[in-house]
Amino acid sequence: MYPNEVELQWSILIVLYPFITGLVAGAFILASLERVFRVEAVKPTYRLALLTALAFLLVAPLPLQLHLGHPERSFEMYLTPHRSSAMAMFGFVYLWYLMGVLLLEIWLDYRRDIVVLSQTERGWKRLVYRVLTLGSRNVSERSLGIDERLGYFITLVGIPSAFLLHGYVGFIFGSIKANPWWSSPLMPIVFVFSAMVSGISAVMLLYMLSTRLREKEIDMRCLDKIAQYLLYTFVIDFSLEMLDLLQRIYEADESFRSLDFMVHTRLWTSQVIVQILLGTVTPIGLLGLTQILRLSDIARKRIYGLAGCLTMIGIFAMRWNVVIGGQLFSKSFLGYTTYKMAFATREGLLTAIALMILPFIILWILVKLLPPWYESDSSPGSGSAPAHGTS
Amino acid sequence: MLGIKEHCAILGADVTGRYGAGNANLFKDIEHLIRLVAVIAIALVAFVILRAAVVPHSFGQYGHYRGAAIGEIASRPVAFAGHDTCEACHTDVVDQKKLGKHVVIACEACHGALAKHVDDPGSVQPKKLDTAIVCARCHEANSAKPKNFPQVATADHSGGIACDTCHQPHRPKIETAKTETEGKK
């Protein structure tokens, strides 16, 4: 163990960071699939997914800023761009995704509602909607048609952007040559797929939870479809991770013995038990079961709920194992350290919990401001939101 | 709150009445987008102005940093005098040091920056050193250090006594050690 390796520099906040951006990218990709491939079944979650992505994206930089300190300096990244720094360039990836894709798409999609609300609401809310209309109240067929086409185009751009956003997180880890646990060209791809898994399952859970809170009926067709997507992406994600593992085992380079020992000791619970068995194999099995057996709606809902929660735990464990695991062994392959998590400190557990609650508060505000539900329509997928393809 | 659809119904007539009647004016229908572009343009201009205002002029002159910083740092007073300077006056210490393994260590590595003392030795007296801190900085036992480097678990080894009660700091080897104390780690 070298002296600079004894203490872990990247704490639980750095675990949260890829977890949160993963949710963003995943939720967005789910929404985009619906839009680009016109999957009517998952329509009820389209807007919810967009708002979820936005809520989590707004929180995504916070763990980094808490970790680094001096949040006011993060803006300097934009003032004096450093083109050879992967981390500095991420600021631009983030900005592009937030401003160029997500906000635009939400705005275009909600524009009609905003205009309507700016005339029916009262008080400060009215003012907010007024500002959001940018002073244009035109919601004629044609203008909405234009919005629709533009939105479609932005979604097309958005999918690679979402891949970029989270692929980039994987790239930052994957490109660290000095760390054999991270350095793998497969990293960005694995990150993208695990992002999709976590995002889809988060939206699924949020959809179930929100319909229950609003005492509405869950659209089973929609839920089944999402669960199906979840299963497919999960299978791909799992096989990629296993491929990576296989490659490592067969290649067995100089780092292998050290890493192998680590997985069998320090990471045994979090990697093998929680991530692989509990958080991956179990939900895949559960979801697979719903595909094979004919189960009642109630049973399916329960299974989806359980599988969704396990998935979230599994993906979080995966982030944990990547970030923390990568710092537990010495680059000399001769020693191991441990991570002692603090509680009420700047990078402690309490902060992490607060950071995980914050996006839900933001989401709640967003949902109040821009209701994503399609109820007042006769059927999901028509009415208030411009039905896709009506241009 | 009314459902969105009712709102639309209320608005629909009004709206289509005003704009939807024909395709008279494309400008009207992309007006909101033009406004959006205007907002973005304003934001960009504001950013460019802000950037011009806050980024130091010499930034990027030599590399990804403020060029003037080099001059500013260079003009700061020197804090370290250097090994050779001490030798001029403290010949006795230098001679002592030559006899031990600490010969490789510069005076100011232990005594700290002393340029001020060199300028005016009479009035600026170096602070007395706390050996428990100074010596431990290099000699505290640590498995990451090379095995052949002399290291001790200072608390156990010294028993709380200052290191220089037994070791001569400038020539630390205790020649008569075998007969004197039980202090070996």
Side-chain angles (χ1 to χ4, degrees), chain A residues 107-149:
Chain A
W107 187 70
L108 288 175
D109 197 68
Y110 270 100
R111 212 174 59 81
R112 177 196 289 208
D113 301 30
I114 293 173
V115 170
V116 171
L117 288 165
S118 77
Q119 297 181 357
T120 52
E121 287 292 334
R122 300 267 159 266
W124 64 270
K125 270 192 161 182
R126 189 193 187 106
L127 204 68
V128 172
Y129 292 120
R130 271 272 162 87
V131 172
L132 285 179
T133 59
L134 298 183
S136 161
R137 283 196 270 149
N138 183 359
V139 284
S140 66
E141 284 286 311
R142 179 144 155 226
S143 71
L144 291 178
I146 293 172
D147 285 357
E148 167 62 24
R149 257 176 288 166

mmCIF file of all heavy atoms in Angstrom, chain A residues 107-149:
data_model
loop_
_atom_site.group_PDB
_atom_site.id
_atom_site.type_symbol
_atom_site.label_atom_id
_atom_site.label_comp_id
_atom_site.label_asym_id
_atom_site.label_seq_id
_atom_site.Cartn_x
_atom_site.Cartn_y
_atom_site.Cartn_z
ATOM 1 N N TRP A 107 -40.035 21.851 -22.846
ATOM 2 C CA TRP A 107 -40.745 23.088 -23.163
ATOM 3 C C TRP A 107 -41.649 22.893 -24.380
ATOM 4 O O TRP A 107 -42.813 23.269 -24.373
ATOM 5 C CB TRP A 107 -39.730 24.203 -23.412
ATOM 6 C CG TRP A 107 -40.365 25.546 -23.590
ATOM 7 C CD1 TRP A 107 -40.981 26.285 -22.635
ATOM 8 C CD2 TRP A 107 -40.462 26.291 -24.798
ATOM 9 N NE1 TRP A 107 -41.455 27.451 -23.162
ATOM 10 C CE2 TRP A 107 -41.155 27.493 -24.489
ATOM 11 C CE3 TRP A 107 -40.037 26.089 -26.112
ATOM 12 C CZ2 TRP A 107 -41.423 28.467 -25.451
ATOM 13 C CZ3 TRP A 107 -40.291 27.067 -27.062
ATOM 14 C CH2 TRP A 107 -40.983 28.242 -26.733
ATOM 15 N N LEU A 108 -41.109 22.305 -25.412
ATOM 16 C CA LEU A 108 -41.908 22.115 -26.622
ATOM 17 C C LEU A 108 -43.101 21.224 -26.338
ATOM 18 O O LEU A 108 -44.211 21.471 -26.791
ATOM 19 C CB LEU A 108 -41.050 21.500 -27.732
ATOM 20 C CG LEU A 108 -40.016 22.441 -28.347
ATOM 21 C CD1 LEU A 108 -39.147 21.691 -29.330
ATOM 22 C CD2 LEU A 108 -40.712 23.611 -29.028
ATOM 23 N N ASP A 109 -42.867 20.185 -25.543
ATOM 24 C CA ASP A 109 -43.932 19.242 -25.284
ATOM 25 C C ASP A 109 -45.027 19.865 -24.424
ATOM 26 O O ASP A 109 -46.197 19.552 -24.560
ATOM 27 C CB ASP A 109 -43.367 18.002 -24.593
ATOM 28 C CG ASP A 109 -44.337 16.854 -24.689
ATOM 29 O OD1 ASP A 109 -44.526 16.370 -25.817
ATOM 30 O OD2 ASP A 109 -44.928 16.480 -23.663
ATOM 31 N N TYR A 110 -44.636 20.759 -23.539
ATOM 32 C CA TYR A 110 -45.597 21.327 -22.590
ATOM 33 C C TYR A 110 -46.161 22.662 -23.063
ATOM 34 O O TYR A 110 -46.924 23.282 -22.345
ATOM 35 C CB TYR A 110 -44.908 21.550 -21.242
ATOM 36 C CG TYR A 110 -44.996 20.371 -20.294
ATOM 37 C CD1 TYR A 110 -43.938 19.502 -20.147
ATOM 38 C CD2 TYR A 110 -46.140 20.144 -19.549
ATOM 39 C CE1 TYR A 110 -44.008 18.433 -19.280
ATOM 40 C CE2 TYR A 110 -46.223 19.079 -18.681
ATOM 41 C CZ TYR A 110 -45.161 18.235 -18.546
ATOM 42 O OH TYR A 110 -45.231 17.181 -17.685
ATOM 43 N N ARG A 111 -45.742 23.124 -24.199
ATOM 44 C CA ARG A 111 -46.050 24.504 -24.531
ATOM 45 C C ARG A 111 -47.554 24.785 -24.521
ATOM 46 O O ARG A 111 -48.012 25.775 -23.962
ATOM 47 C CB ARG A 111 -45.459 24.890 -25.880
ATOM 48 C CG ARG A 111 -45.051 26.355 -25.948
ATOM 49 C CD ARG A 111 -44.348 26.659 -27.216
ATOM 50 N NE ARG A 111 -45.169 26.373 -28.375
ATOM 51 C CZ ARG A 111 -46.114 27.203 -28.821
ATOM 52 N NH1 ARG A 111 -46.327 28.344 -28.225
ATOM 53 N NH2 ARG A 111 -46.840 26.887 -29.859
ATOM 54 N N ARG A 112 -48.314 23.854 -25.083
ATOM 55 C CA ARG A 112 -49.745 24.089 -25.099
ATOM 56 C C ARG A 112 -50.282 24.192 -23.666
ATOM 57 O O ARG A 112 -51.038 25.106 -23.351
ATOM 58 C CB ARG A 112 -50.463 22.965 -25.828
ATOM 59 C CG ARG A 112 -51.957 23.169 -25.797
ATOM 60 C CD ARG A 112 -52.684 21.932 -26.153
ATOM 61 N NE ARG A 112 -52.518 21.641 -27.578
ATOM 62 C CZ ARG A 112 -53.435 20.977 -28.270
ATOM 63 N NH1 ARG A 112 -54.507 20.525 -27.681
ATOM 64 N NH2 ARG A 112 -53.251 20.716 -29.539
ATOM 65 N N ASP A 113 -49.866 23.271 -22.809
ATOM 66 C CA ASP A 113 -50.332 23.304 -21.419
ATOM 67 C C ASP A 113 -49.927 24.589 -20.740
ATOM 68 O O ASP A 113 -50.698 25.174 -19.985
ATOM 69 C CB ASP A 113 -49.738 22.143 -20.613
ATOM 70 C CG ASP A 113 -50.099 20.809 -21.202
ATOM 71 O OD1 ASP A 113 -50.269 20.752 -22.432
ATOM 72 O OD2 ASP A 113 -50.209 19.839 -20.446
ATOM 73 N N ILE A 114 -48.710 25.030 -21.027
ATOM 74 C CA ILE A 114 -48.229 26.253 -20.385
ATOM 75 C C ILE A 114 -49.095 27.436 -20.795
ATOM 76 O O ILE A 114 -49.508 28.240 -19.965
ATOM 77 C CB ILE A 114 -46.745 26.505 -20.749
ATOM 78 C CG1 ILE A 114 -45.859 25.423 -20.128
ATOM 79 C CG2 ILE A 114 -46.308 27.870 -20.260
ATOM 80 C CD1 ILE A 114 -44.420 25.499 -20.561
ATOM 81 N N VAL A 115 -49.395 27.486 -22.085
ATOM 82 C CA VAL A 115 -50.225 28.593 -22.561
ATOM 83 C C VAL A 115 -51.592 28.541 -21.900
ATOM 84 O O VAL A 115 -52.104 29.549 -21.403
ATOM 85 C CB VAL A 115 -50.347 28.542 -24.095
ATOM 86 C CG1 VAL A 115 -51.389 29.539 -24.566
ATOM 87 C CG2 VAL A 115 -49.007 28.827 -24.735
ATOM 88 N N VAL A 116 -52.175 27.333 -21.853
ATOM 89 C CA VAL A 116 -53.491 27.190 -21.224
ATOM 90 C C VAL A 116 -53.420 27.619 -19.764
ATOM 91 O O VAL A 116 -54.225 28.421 -19.289
ATOM 92 C CB VAL A 116 -53.978 25.732 -21.333
ATOM 93 C CG1 VAL A 116 -55.235 25.537 -20.499
ATOM 94 C CG2 VAL A 116 -54.230 25.373 -22.781
ATOM 95 N N LEU A 117 -52.413 27.104 -19.056
ATOM 96 C CA LEU A 117 -52.295 27.395 -17.625
ATOM 97 C C LEU A 117 -52.032 28.875 -17.375
ATOM 98 O O LEU A 117 -52.473 29.432 -16.381
ATOM 99 C CB LEU A 117 -51.176 26.552 -17.017
ATOM 100 C CG LEU A 117 -51.525 25.065 -16.881
ATOM 101 C CD1 LEU A 117 -50.280 24.246 -16.616
ATOM 102 C CD2 LEU A 117 -52.535 24.858 -15.774
ATOM 103 N N SER A 118 -51.312 29.512 -18.302
ATOM 104 C CA SER A 118 -50.999 30.924 -18.094
ATOM 105 C C SER A 118 -52.271 31.762 -18.153
ATOM 106 O O SER A 118 -52.261 32.928 -17.783
ATOM 107 C CB SER A 118 -50.001 31.411 -19.134
ATOM 108 O OG SER A 118 -50.666 31.623 -20.349
ATOM 109 N N GLN A 119 -53.352 31.162 -18.662
ATOM 110 C CA GLN A 119 -54.593 31.931 -18.715
ATOM 111 C C GLN A 119 -55.590 31.495 -17.679
ATOM 112 O O GLN A 119 -56.488 32.253 -17.338
ATOM 113 C CB GLN A 119 -55.187 31.805 -20.111
ATOM 114 C CG GLN A 119 -54.224 32.416 -21.097
ATOM 115 C CD GLN A 119 -54.708 32.370 -22.507
ATOM 116 O OE1 GLN A 119 -55.754 31.828 -22.790
ATOM 117 N NE2 GLN A 119 -53.933 32.928 -23.389
ATOM 118 N N THR A 120 -55.440 30.280 -17.175
ATOM 119 C CA THR A 120 -56.418 29.823 -16.197
ATOM 120 C C THR A 120 -55.921 29.957 -14.762
ATOM 121 O O THR A 120 -56.722 30.116 -13.860
ATOM 122 C CB THR A 120 -56.790 28.360 -16.460
ATOM 123 O OG1 THR A 120 -55.584 27.609 -16.535
ATOM 124 C CG2 THR A 120 -57.573 28.218 -17.739
ATOM 125 N N GLU A 121 -54.605 29.901 -14.564
ATOM 126 C CA GLU A 121 -54.097 30.006 -13.194
ATOM 127 C C GLU A 121 -54.134 31.452 -12.713
ATOM 128 O O GLU A 121 -54.256 32.381 -13.520
ATOM 129 C CB GLU A 121 -52.657 29.478 -13.118
ATOM 130 C CG GLU A 121 -52.542 27.972 -13.217
ATOM 131 C CD GLU A 121 -53.110 27.246 -12.013
ATOM 132 O OE1 GLU A 121 -53.135 27.866 -10.926
ATOM 133 O OE2 GLU A 121 -53.556 26.090 -12.154
ATOM 134 N N ARG A 122 -54.017 31.587 -11.397
ATOM 135 C CA ARG A 122 -54.020 32.946 -10.829
ATOM 136 C C ARG A 122 -52.744 33.188 -10.028
ATOM 137 O O ARG A 122 -52.011 32.249 -9.718
ATOM 138 C CB ARG A 122 -55.206 33.131 -9.891
ATOM 139 C CG ARG A 122 -56.544 32.950 -10.504
ATOM 140 C CD ARG A 122 -57.112 34.306 -11.001
ATOM 141 N NE ARG A 122 -58.140 34.079 -12.020
ATOM 142 C CZ ARG A 122 -57.877 34.088 -13.329
ATOM 143 N NH1 ARG A 122 -56.680 34.334 -13.773
ATOM 144 N NH2 ARG A 122 -58.832 33.871 -14.201
ATOM 145 N N GLY A 123 -52.516 34.440 -9.702
ATOM 146 C CA GLY A 123 -51.442 34.785 -8.769
ATOM 147 C C GLY A 123 -50.046 34.537 -9.329
ATOM 148 O O GLY A 123 -49.817 34.660 -10.529
ATOM 149 N N TRP A 124 -49.145 34.163 -8.431
ATOM 150 C CA TRP A 124 -47.737 34.012 -8.844
ATOM 151 C C TRP A 124 -47.577 32.898 -9.851
ATOM 152 O O TRP A 124 -46.714 32.945 -10.715
ATOM 153 C CB TRP A 124 -46.855 33.752 -7.623
ATOM 154 C CG TRP A 124 -47.148 32.467 -6.907
ATOM 155 C CD1 TRP A 124 -48.019 32.303 -5.888
ATOM 156 C CD2 TRP A 124 -46.578 31.182 -7.170
ATOM 157 N NE1 TRP A 124 -48.034 30.987 -5.499
ATOM 158 C CE2 TRP A 124 -47.164 30.290 -6.266
ATOM 159 C CE3 TRP A 124 -45.632 30.701 -8.074
ATOM 160 C CZ2 TRP A 124 -46.848 28.930 -6.247
ATOM 161 C CZ3 TRP A 124 -45.308 29.355 -8.056
ATOM 162 C CH2 TRP A 124 -45.925 28.482 -7.157
ATOM 163 N N LYS A 125 -48.440 31.880 -9.751
ATOM 164 C CA LYS A 125 -48.335 30.786 -10.713
ATOM 165 C C LYS A 125 -48.551 31.291 -12.133
ATOM 166 O O LYS A 125 -47.856 30.915 -13.060
ATOM 167 C CB LYS A 125 -49.389 29.730 -10.398
ATOM 168 C CG LYS A 125 -48.916 28.668 -9.435
ATOM 169 C CD LYS A 125 -49.907 27.545 -9.436
ATOM 170 C CE LYS A 125 -49.337 26.273 -8.883
ATOM 171 N NZ LYS A 125 -50.318 25.192 -8.934
ATOM 172 N N ARG A 126 -49.515 32.171 -12.245
ATOM 173 C CA ARG A 126 -49.803 32.735 -13.553
ATOM 174 C C ARG A 126 -48.563 33.406 -14.121
ATOM 175 O O ARG A 126 -48.219 33.243 -15.285
ATOM 176 C CB ARG A 126 -50.937 33.741 -13.399
ATOM 177 C CG ARG A 126 -51.465 34.226 -14.723
ATOM 178 C CD ARG A 126 -52.355 35.438 -14.513
ATOM 179 N NE ARG A 126 -52.983 35.800 -15.773
ATOM 180 C CZ ARG A 126 -54.248 35.566 -16.043
ATOM 181 N NH1 ARG A 126 -55.034 35.006 -15.166
ATOM 182 N NH2 ARG A 126 -54.750 35.909 -17.214
ATOM 183 N N LEU A 127 -47.885 34.115 -13.228
ATOM 184 C CA LEU A 127 -46.681 34.826 -13.640
ATOM 185 C C LEU A 127 -45.626 33.843 -14.151
ATOM 186 O O LEU A 127 -44.999 34.056 -15.183
ATOM 187 C CB LEU A 127 -46.137 35.607 -12.440
ATOM 188 C CG LEU A 127 -45.268 36.797 -12.802
ATOM 189 C CD1 LEU A 127 -46.115 37.870 -13.452
ATOM 190 C CD2 LEU A 127 -44.567 37.324 -11.572
ATOM 191 N N VAL A 128 -45.469 32.743 -13.390
ATOM 192 C CA VAL A 128 -44.490 31.734 -13.793
ATOM 193 C C VAL A 128 -44.818 31.217 -15.191
ATOM 194 O O VAL A 128 -43.965 31.170 -16.077
ATOM 195 C CB VAL A 128 -44.464 30.569 -12.784
ATOM 196 C CG1 VAL A 128 -43.590 29.446 -13.308
ATOM 197 C CG2 VAL A 128 -43.970 31.052 -11.434
ATOM 198 N N TYR A 129 -46.081 30.857 -15.386
ATOM 199 C CA TYR A 129 -46.456 30.321 -16.703
ATOM 200 C C TYR A 129 -46.307 31.373 -17.787
ATOM 201 O O TYR A 129 -45.895 31.085 -18.912
ATOM 202 C CB TYR A 129 -47.892 29.805 -16.673
ATOM 203 C CG TYR A 129 -48.044 28.581 -15.795
ATOM 204 C CD1 TYR A 129 -48.898 28.583 -14.707
ATOM 205 C CD2 TYR A 129 -47.339 27.423 -16.077
ATOM 206 C CE1 TYR A 129 -49.042 27.481 -13.907
ATOM 207 C CE2 TYR A 129 -47.473 26.310 -15.276
ATOM 208 C CZ TYR A 129 -48.330 26.341 -14.189
ATOM 209 O OH TYR A 129 -48.456 25.249 -13.404
ATOM 210 N N ARG A 130 -46.657 32.604 -17.427
ATOM 211 C CA ARG A 130 -46.492 33.704 -18.382
ATOM 212 C C ARG A 130 -45.058 33.747 -18.887
ATOM 213 O O ARG A 130 -44.803 33.820 -20.078
ATOM 214 C CB ARG A 130 -46.797 35.031 -17.688
ATOM 215 C CG ARG A 130 -48.228 35.443 -17.741
ATOM 216 C CD ARG A 130 -48.473 36.249 -19.032
ATOM 217 N NE ARG A 130 -49.892 36.301 -19.317
ATOM 218 C CZ ARG A 130 -50.701 37.225 -18.807
ATOM 219 N NH1 ARG A 130 -50.235 38.166 -18.031
ATOM 220 N NH2 ARG A 130 -51.983 37.213 -19.108
ATOM 221 N N VAL A 131 -44.122 33.725 -17.931
ATOM 222 C CA VAL A 131 -42.706 33.781 -18.302
ATOM 223 C C VAL A 131 -42.370 32.586 -19.177
ATOM 224 O O VAL A 131 -41.668 32.702 -20.179
ATOM 225 C CB VAL A 131 -41.819 33.806 -17.043
ATOM 226 C CG1 VAL A 131 -40.354 33.662 -17.424
ATOM 227 C CG2 VAL A 131 -42.038 35.084 -16.266
ATOM 228 N N LEU A 132 -42.910 31.425 -18.798
ATOM 229 C CA LEU A 132 -42.580 30.222 -19.552
ATOM 230 C C LEU A 132 -43.117 30.264 -20.980
ATOM 231 O O LEU A 132 -42.573 29.628 -21.870
ATOM 232 C CB LEU A 132 -43.129 28.991 -18.823
ATOM 233 C CG LEU A 132 -42.354 28.580 -17.578
ATOM 234 C CD1 LEU A 132 -43.007 27.383 -16.931
ATOM 235 C CD2 LEU A 132 -40.925 28.252 -17.933
ATOM 236 N N THR A 133 -44.199 30.989 -21.210
ATOM 237 C CA THR A 133 -44.699 31.065 -22.589
ATOM 238 C C THR A 133 -43.792 31.934 -23.447
ATOM 239 O O THR A 133 -43.922 31.940 -24.665
ATOM 240 C CB THR A 133 -46.096 31.700 -22.654
ATOM 241 O OG1 THR A 133 -46.013 33.017 -22.105
ATOM 242 C CG2 THR A 133 -47.127 30.890 -21.907
ATOM 243 N N LEU A 134 -42.891 32.668 -22.834
ATOM 244 C CA LEU A 134 -42.006 33.615 -23.531
ATOM 245 C C LEU A 134 -42.828 34.647 -24.276
ATOM 246 O O LEU A 134 -42.390 35.213 -25.269
ATOM 247 C CB LEU A 134 -41.085 32.887 -24.528
ATOM 248 C CG LEU A 134 -40.114 31.872 -23.975
ATOM 249 C CD1 LEU A 134 -39.250 31.339 -25.104
ATOM 250 C CD2 LEU A 134 -39.232 32.496 -22.919
ATOM 251 N N GLY A 135 -44.048 34.844 -23.821
ATOM 252 C CA GLY A 135 -44.854 35.909 -24.404
ATOM 253 C C GLY A 135 -45.582 35.538 -25.679
ATOM 254 O O GLY A 135 -46.186 36.381 -26.317
ATOM 255 N N SER A 136 -45.506 34.273 -26.036
ATOM 256 C CA SER A 136 -46.239 33.879 -27.234
ATOM 257 C C SER A 136 -47.360 32.936 -26.841
ATOM 258 O O SER A 136 -47.117 31.902 -26.235
ATOM 259 C CB SER A 136 -45.300 33.197 -28.225
ATOM 260 O OG SER A 136 -46.051 32.449 -29.149
ATOM 261 N N ARG A 137 -48.599 33.288 -27.195
ATOM 262 C CA ARG A 137 -49.705 32.433 -26.786
ATOM 263 C C ARG A 137 -50.250 31.635 -27.958
ATOM 264 O O ARG A 137 -51.344 31.088 -27.903
ATOM 265 C CB ARG A 137 -50.795 33.290 -26.167
ATOM 266 C CG ARG A 137 -50.413 33.701 -24.764
ATOM 267 C CD ARG A 137 -51.603 34.191 -24.020
ATOM 268 N NE ARG A 137 -51.773 35.634 -24.192
ATOM 269 C CZ ARG A 137 -52.957 36.235 -24.193
ATOM 270 N NH1 ARG A 137 -54.054 35.546 -24.041
ATOM 271 N NH2 ARG A 137 -53.037 37.539 -24.342
ATOM 272 N N ASN A 138 -49.517 31.594 -29.001
ATOM 273 C CA ASN A 138 -49.995 30.917 -30.194
ATOM 274 C C ASN A 138 -49.935 29.403 -30.024
ATOM 275 O O ASN A 138 -48.862 28.823 -29.924
ATOM 276 C CB ASN A 138 -49.124 31.347 -31.375
ATOM 277 C CG ASN A 138 -49.609 30.736 -32.663
ATOM 278 O OD1 ASN A 138 -50.573 29.990 -32.663
ATOM 279 N ND2 ASN A 138 -48.937 31.068 -33.740
ATOM 280 N N VAL A 139 -51.116 28.764 -29.963
ATOM 281 C CA VAL A 139 -51.122 27.301 -29.936
ATOM 282 C C VAL A 139 -51.983 26.777 -31.077
ATOM 283 O O VAL A 139 -52.753 25.839 -30.932
ATOM 284 C CB VAL A 139 -51.624 26.738 -28.588
ATOM 285 C CG1 VAL A 139 -50.555 26.876 -27.532
ATOM 286 C CG2 VAL A 139 -52.904 27.391 -28.147
ATOM 287 N N SER A 140 -51.860 27.389 -32.226
ATOM 288 C CA SER A 140 -52.621 26.918 -33.383
ATOM 289 C C SER A 140 -52.121 25.550 -33.800
ATOM 290 O O SER A 140 -51.006 25.144 -33.466
ATOM 291 C CB SER A 140 -52.455 27.908 -34.526
ATOM 292 O OG SER A 140 -51.101 27.894 -34.939
ATOM 293 N N GLU A 141 -52.961 24.844 -34.534
ATOM 294 C CA GLU A 141 -52.612 23.513 -35.041
ATOM 295 C C GLU A 141 -51.219 23.512 -35.652
ATOM 296 O O GLU A 141 -50.390 22.666 -35.362
ATOM 297 C CB GLU A 141 -53.605 23.114 -36.140
ATOM 298 C CG GLU A 141 -54.959 22.679 -35.631
ATOM 299 C CD GLU A 141 -54.919 21.307 -35.002
ATOM 300 O OE1 GLU A 141 -54.358 20.400 -35.640
ATOM 301 O OE2 GLU A 141 -55.415 21.157 -33.872
ATOM 302 N N ARG A 142 -51.000 24.489 -36.488
ATOM 303 C CA ARG A 142 -49.776 24.496 -37.263
ATOM 304 C C ARG A 142 -48.558 24.708 -36.362
ATOM 305 O O ARG A 142 -47.546 24.025 -36.501
ATOM 306 C CB ARG A 142 -49.860 25.603 -38.301
ATOM 307 C CG ARG A 142 -48.618 25.709 -39.129
ATOM 308 C CD ARG A 142 -48.983 26.067 -40.541
ATOM 309 N NE ARG A 142 -47.878 26.734 -41.201
ATOM 310 C CZ ARG A 142 -48.043 27.830 -41.926
ATOM 311 N NH1 ARG A 142 -49.223 28.387 -42.015
ATOM 312 N NH2 ARG A 142 -47.019 28.353 -42.537
ATOM 313 N N SER A 143 -48.701 25.633 -35.406
ATOM 314 C CA SER A 143 -47.533 25.886 -34.556
ATOM 315 C C SER A 143 -47.232 24.658 -33.702
ATOM 316 O O SER A 143 -46.073 24.304 -33.479
ATOM 317 C CB SER A 143 -47.766 27.113 -33.685
ATOM 318 O OG SER A 143 -48.724 26.820 -32.692
ATOM 319 N N LEU A 144 -48.297 23.977 -33.248
ATOM 320 C CA LEU A 144 -48.066 22.765 -32.469
ATOM 321 C C LEU A 144 -47.438 21.687 -33.335
ATOM 322 O O LEU A 144 -46.596 20.917 -32.885
ATOM 323 C CB LEU A 144 -49.371 22.268 -31.865
ATOM 324 C CG LEU A 144 -49.938 23.164 -30.760
ATOM 325 C CD1 LEU A 144 -51.244 22.617 -30.252
ATOM 326 C CD2 LEU A 144 -48.960 23.324 -29.625
ATOM 327 N N GLY A 145 -47.861 21.665 -34.598
ATOM 328 C CA GLY A 145 -47.272 20.705 -35.532
ATOM 329 C C GLY A 145 -45.790 20.958 -35.686
ATOM 330 O O GLY A 145 -44.974 20.023 -35.692
ATOM 331 N N ILE A 146 -45.444 22.221 -35.782
ATOM 332 C CA ILE A 146 -44.021 22.569 -35.911
ATOM 333 C C ILE A 146 -43.268 22.144 -34.651
ATOM 334 O O ILE A 146 -42.193 21.539 -34.724
ATOM 335 C CB ILE A 146 -43.871 24.087 -36.162
ATOM 336 C CG1 ILE A 146 -44.456 24.424 -37.531
ATOM 337 C CG2 ILE A 146 -42.417 24.500 -36.074
ATOM 338 C CD1 ILE A 146 -44.550 25.895 -37.814
ATOM 339 N N ASP A 147 -43.870 22.432 -33.503
ATOM 340 C CA ASP A 147 -43.257 22.016 -32.233
ATOM 341 C C ASP A 147 -43.028 20.514 -32.229
ATOM 342 O O ASP A 147 -41.983 20.027 -31.783
ATOM 343 C CB ASP A 147 -44.177 22.351 -31.058
ATOM 344 C CG ASP A 147 -44.161 23.827 -30.758
ATOM 345 O OD1 ASP A 147 -43.394 24.536 -31.425
ATOM 346 O OD2 ASP A 147 -44.912 24.245 -29.868
ATOM 347 N N GLU A 148 -44.042 19.813 -32.687
ATOM 348 C CA GLU A 148 -43.988 18.356 -32.678
ATOM 349 C C GLU A 148 -42.809 17.861 -33.514
ATOM 350 O O GLU A 148 -42.032 17.015 -33.083
ATOM 351 C CB GLU A 148 -45.325 17.826 -33.208
ATOM 352 C CG GLU A 148 -45.369 16.363 -33.555
ATOM 353 C CD GLU A 148 -45.113 15.484 -32.356
ATOM 354 O OE1 GLU A 148 -45.359 15.948 -31.233
ATOM 355 O OE2 GLU A 148 -44.643 14.343 -32.551
ATOM 356 N N ARG A 149 -42.664 18.440 -34.686
ATOM 357 C CA ARG A 149 -41.572 17.995 -35.557
ATOM 358 C C ARG A 149 -40.214 18.369 -34.977
ATOM 359 O O ARG A 149 -39.279 17.584 -34.989
ATOM 360 C CB ARG A 149 -41.741 18.595 -36.952
ATOM 361 C CG ARG A 149 -42.298 17.558 -37.930
ATOM 362 C CD ARG A 149 -42.549 18.166 -39.275
ATOM 363 N NE ARG A 149 -43.714 19.049 -39.229
ATOM 364 C CZ ARG A 149 -44.019 19.917 -40.190
ATOM 365 N NH1 ARG A 149 -43.247 20.020 -41.248
ATOM 366 N NH2 ARG A 149 -45.088 20.664 -40.092
#
